[in-house]
Amino acid sequence: MVIFVVVLAVILGLLAAVHWYLWRRLVRDTTVPGGRGRRIGTAAAVILPLTTFGAFLSGRSGMPFAVERVLAWPGYLWLAAVLYLTLALLVGEAVRPLLRRLLERRAAGSAPDSPRDAPSGGEAPSSGAAPSSGAAVSPGAAASAPSGSAPATGGGAGTEGAPAPVAAASSVTEASGVTGTTGTTDVIETTDVTRSTDITGVTEATGTTEALEATKAPEATGATRVTAAAPEPAAPGAPGRPADDTPAPGSRPGGDTRDTGDTGGSRAEPAARAADPSRRLFIARTVAGAAAVAGLGTVGYGAYGVLDGPTTKRVTVPLAKLPRSAHGFRVAVVSDIHLGPVLGRSHTRRIVEAINRTQPDLVAIVGDLVDGSVEDLGPAAEPLAGLRSRHGSYFVTGNHEYFSGAGQWVDFVRELGVHPLENARVELPGFDLAGVNDISAEGEGPAGQGPDYDRALGDRDRSRASVLLAHQPVMVHAAADHGVDLQLSGHTHGGQLWPGPYLAALANPTVAGLERYGDTQLYVTRGAGAWGPPVRVGAESDITVVTLASKQA
């Protein structure tokens, strides 16, 4: 009892963790706090798991069958959805950083370029007017000009007592007019200069527009105006310049005080940080949307495959002891129909019609016919009375019959014209057909209700070929010990829901198909129905027509 409680607690804890993960990725990360989407998603994350628990418990707690049917559809489908939504989101975790990098690169590639440096030497290129033939300030004149006096321009017409910025060696002047710059204009900072005249104009700059302070010379013929002139770095220790060569904060090396950090750095970083929430939301919604489409689409496709009915497979099995007269004998094998609150009468009818179309010589139902009582599911099983074959239909119990009253079901299928083989054998033309109860029947009812191979096979003529109906593949080892030529089984569902086949392989010698164990061959059908979720992924439901072949033919 303690082990059961511990296992149950572990399972419940795991389910809770998985549901929290789904809520986080599908609801919290993609919706606005307090919004309608957040409320609806949270409610669904609570209600849907409750329907799953209700579907499991209703059939075992004596609830009316109608209630069980109402809970079963959403509850079992949600169980399958949890599996594939979780797998899809785990794949999305690997895609998430790749998508983030892609968006960051795209954003970096589409960002505007930061302003470039002006041509070397502080020269400001002009647009629309070429430099005139007027005199330019020579490097020597600029260097030798005393502090506080303006260099002579345009033939020496300067303004005494009106300080002007120290012009760079490559300053360009014009004889008349005002030169405007259309590129990027550096800010001219002048230190310790007394502005005694009016501001003469504003320089236009592409990207960043700055005001250019200059002094206005007296109006005279040949007077010029210095435009787009950058100040020459002062010698260490000069007024307006620190004693060391350390650039002022925000300035560029060499005295360029243009604030390029705002454009390429300090201004871009807040913008990037502001864009991060929207980028994260876009990534979260993209991954969640793709996961929802993939997960729910997989569940929908798998449910359609079950509700549309099983496919028909054909397998030929050669038997060494089979006489020529029985060559080509066809056995329609069906297993794991699982009639219950989801799969009902119409499901049985589809299976019967599919079997009858194959025109078999014999029908073998190898267990797990129902998930419920005769009272609730008897009407759903009634179409089995319509099975048609030359040598009749036979049935053995599976483990699920013992959850639902196996004795009552054995009696009921007999009334439908299906012959139960309870550790029994019949002789057919060319071979013996035997059947044993499922191993889960051990300890159920009177002694001997489990599989009894001696009773079913002990006194037979071993020179005849033998075919055994046994629900679980693990029973093949006992069948081999009793000289069985072919065992027909089900139980595994082929794994039903991927990656179920890998888990089923841990407990079964064969998950699906035909394999040999010594002199005994084992064929395992994937079954015609589904247990729990009416969904199959990677293991389609089937009915198999096994054709027996004589080596003497």
Side-chain angles (χ1 to χ4, degrees), residues 197-392:
T197 57
D198 296 333
I199 296 175
T200 59
V202 177
T203 303
E204 295 179 357
T206 302
T208 305
T209 303
E210 306 286 348
L212 178 64
E213 293 184 349
T215 57
K216 184 176 181 182
E219 297 294 332
T221 304
T224 61
R225 179 178 301 161
V226 178
T227 61
E232 184 180 67
R241 173 69 179 175
D244 59 3
D245 291 333
T246 304
S251 66
R252 295 171 60 88
D256 187 353
T257 59
R258 185 182 61 213
D259 190 3
T260 57
D262 279 351
T263 303
S266 61
R267 290 181 182 174
E269 289 174 2
R273 287 195 298 269
D276 282 342
S278 61
R279 183 182 297 128
R280 287 196 298 269
L281 182 61
F282 173 78
I283 293 173
R285 287 179 173 176
T286 299
V287 173
V293 170
L296 298 180
T298 299
V299 172
Y301 179 79
Y304 173 79
V306 172
L307 299 178
D308 191 48
T311 60
T312 300
K313 299 180 62 177
R314 299 180 184 273
V315 176
T316 299
V317 181
L319 299 179
K321 299 176 185 178
L322 189 72
R324 184 192 300 266
S325 60
H327 179 73
F329 193 97
R330 291 169 300 168
V331 181
V333 183
V334 61
S335 178
D336 300 278
I337 297 175
H338 284 289
L339 299 177
V342 174
L343 301 176
R345 188 182 181 94
S346 59
H347 179 61
T348 309
R349 186 181 299 111
R350 285 192 294 268
I351 292 172
V352 169
E353 292 172 353
I355 290 174
N356 289 343
R357 283 195 296 268
T358 67
Q359 298 181 345
D361 297 306
L362 182 145
V363 177
I365 305 173
V366 287
D368 281 5
L369 171 64
V370 292
D371 285 308
S373 66
V374 172
E375 179 183 0
D376 292 332
L377 297 174
E382 287 176 352
L384 294 175
L387 289 170
R388 299 288 180 264
S389 62
R390 285 199 303 161
H391 296 280

Side-chain angles (χ1 to χ4, degrees), residues 127-225:
S127 173
S132 89
S133 58
V137 179
S138 66
S144 61
S147 176
S149 64
T153 60
T159 304
E160 295 182 2
V166 179
S170 56
S171 299
V172 179
T173 60
E174 294 181 313
S176 60
V178 177
T179 303
T181 61
T182 58
T184 302
T185 303
D186 294 342
V187 177
I188 299 179
E189 297 181 359
T190 58
T191 308
D192 298 331
V193 177
T194 304
R195 293 178 296 173
S196 59
T197 57
D198 296 333
I199 296 175
T200 59
V202 177
T203 303
E204 295 179 357
T206 302
T208 305
T209 303
E210 306 286 348
L212 178 64
E213 293 184 349
T215 57
K216 184 176 181 182
E219 297 294 332
T221 304
T224 61
R225 179 178 301 161

Side-chain angles (χ1 to χ4, degrees), residues 416-512:
L416 297 177
V418 179
H419 308 293
L421 290 175
E422 299 181 276
N423 298 323
R425 181 182 76 253
V426 294
E427 293 185 359
L428 297 173
F431 66 97
D432 294 336
L433 178 69
V436 292
N437 294 340
D438 187 67
I439 55 178
S440 61
E442 294 176 351
E444 296 283 341
Q449 287 300 302
D452 189 338
Y453 298 94
D454 290 333
R455 180 179 171 188
L457 300 165
D459 59 348
R460 72 180 188 84
D461 181 1
R462 292 210 171 197
S463 64
R464 287 169 56 87
S466 59
V467 176
L468 175 68
L469 307 183
H471 178 63
Q472 299 195 38
V474 295
M475 303 167 76
V476 69
H477 303 296
D481 293 340
H482 288 81
V484 171
D485 297 293
L486 173 63
Q487 176 178 315
L488 301 174
S489 299
H491 182 64
T492 67
H493 297 207
Q496 185 168 333
L497 296 171
W498 190 93
Y502 302 105
L503 301 178
L506 300 176
N508 298 277
T510 299
V511 175

Side-chain angles (χ1 to χ4, degrees), residues 69-111:
R69 295 186 67 178
V70 169
L71 294 174
W73 274 102
Y76 288 137
L77 285 175
W78 174 244
L79 191 63
V82 166
L83 172 61
Y84 290 107
L85 286 173
T86 302
L87 291 176
L89 285 172
L90 290 177
V91 173
E93 297 297 342
V95 175
R96 193 181 299 269
L98 301 178
L99 184 58
R100 184 182 300 114
R101 288 195 192 118
L102 177 63
L103 292 177
E104 289 174 354
R105 289 179 181 177
R106 182 173 297 178
S110 61

